[in-house]
Amino acid sequence: MLQSIEGVYKQGKVELTELPSDISESRVIVTFLEPKKSFQKKQIMQFGVFSGNQQSTEADFENAEFHGDSEDNLDWS
């Protein structure tokens, strides 16, 4: 009977996520899967990117636009 159990190869050892049932000793075949790529895609807010029935409007972007902070004493004009 064949069993597949997930594990992780780390520093020359295979660490299984669970123990195989009814097997105390057996030959094995280890298959290395493609590593998960952990890159972040650039996230830029664009018109209509929100899910659901209510999409973004031009007014939403006008409300979110930065008009300066009156308390920072900087000239944003």
Side-chain angles (χ1 to χ4, degrees):
M1 176 171 105
L2 298 176
Q3 288 187 44
S4 295
I5 298 176
E6 187 176 348
V8 177
Y9 175 79
K10 188 189 305 182
Q11 298 177 351
K13 296 180 181 179
V14 176
E15 300 174 3
L16 301 177
T17 56
E18 60 183 273
L19 295 178
S21 60
D22 302 327
I23 298 176
S24 60
E25 185 176 321
S26 176
R27 294 178 26 206
V28 298
I29 298 174
V30 177
T31 303
F32 290 90
L33 305 174
E34 290 289 324
K36 293 180 182 176
K37 295 179 182 176
S38 60
F39 65 90
Q40 287 276 340
K41 196 170 89 171
K42 254 189 182 178
Q43 295 182 3
I44 300 174
M45 187 178 205
Q46 296 176 354
F47 181 80
V49 297
F50 300 110
S51 63
N53 294 336
Q54 187 174 359
Q55 294 294 316
S56 303
T57 64
E58 288 294 328
D60 293 331
F61 285 92
E62 289 172 8
N63 290 338
E65 187 175 330
F66 180 70
H67 296 285
D69 186 353
S70 61
E71 297 175 2
D72 65 9
N73 297 324
L74 295 174
D75 182 13
W76 291 94
S77 56

